[in-house]
Amino acid sequence: VLRVYKAAVQQTLDILFLPEGREFLTSTDAVSRDSADRTIIAWDFQSAAKISNQIFHERYTCPSLALHPKESMFVAQTNGNYMALFSAQRPYRINKKKRYEGHKVEGFAVGCEFSPDGTLLVTGSSDGKVFFYNYHTSRIIRTLSAHKEACVSAIFHPVLPSLLATCDWAGEIKIWQ
């Protein structure tokens, strides 16, 4: 073990290294009735110090974080049935003009990811569908009825970007072209 980072929260749901690796983000389920601080925490990699715990102010957990491959942005899947877009540079401001809505999370740890070229954002949905969003307009451009159970992950192949893998709550994995 090289370092230990203590968030003093319930559980960490996801970890996302920012470009160059000097900082990283974690998402937690530390949401209470009257406070949403610590939902997304920014950390300094070298010192293990918290940089910010005031990034996301809504009262939803964020089970998944994804970094845009070309722009200094990241997205957080929320349990509020939308994905929120943030700057990946301090002070990590939310883009209040863009929300990726239409899919359902309903308590599942649904993942999200950008396409390798950064033009698409893909996510699963608790109703078994896969949603493709245009990154720039935040509009749904396609849905697939992928699974009978909740689709908890959709991820592009790293070498063959026309392939997409999905999986559901029951353990079924599908490859799509």
Side-chain angles (χ1 to χ4, degrees), residues 22-24 41-45 49-53 90 92:
R22 291 189 297 260
E23 298 171 0
F24 67 94
I41 301 172
W43 299 86
D44 180 83
F45 178 72
K50 290 180 195 171
I51 297 167
S52 176
N53 66 350
R90 292 185 199 184
Y92 315 108

Side-chain angles (χ1 to χ4, degrees), residues 13-34:
L13 303 172
D14 202 4
I15 301 170
L16 178 68
F17 277 100
L18 296 176
E20 300 176 23
R22 291 189 297 260
E23 298 171 0
F24 67 94
L25 304 169
T26 58
S27 63
T28 72
D29 64 355
V31 176
S32 65
R33 192 167 37 99
D34 57 351

Side-chain angles (χ1 to χ4, degrees), residues 131-170:
F131 285 74
F132 295 85
Y133 294 87
N134 178 303
Y135 165 66
H136 295 288
T137 66
S138 65
R139 291 194 175 123
I140 297 169
I141 58 172
R142 182 159 188 191
T143 60
L144 292 174
S145 295
H147 296 274
K148 293 178 185 168
E149 300 287 330
C151 181
V152 293
S153 186
I155 186 167
F156 290 96
H157 190 280
V159 178
L160 305 169
S162 66
L163 297 183
L164 181 79
T166 63
C167 65
D168 70 11
W169 186 250

Side-chain angles (χ1 to χ4, degrees), residues 84-103:
L85 186 66
F86 297 85
S87 168
Q89 295 178 341
R90 292 185 199 184
Y92 315 108
R93 294 195 196 285
I94 190 169
N95 183 330
K96 294 181 179 179
K97 296 178 182 173
K98 282 189 186 178
R99 279 171 56 140
Y100 303 87
E101 300 175 298
H103 63 287

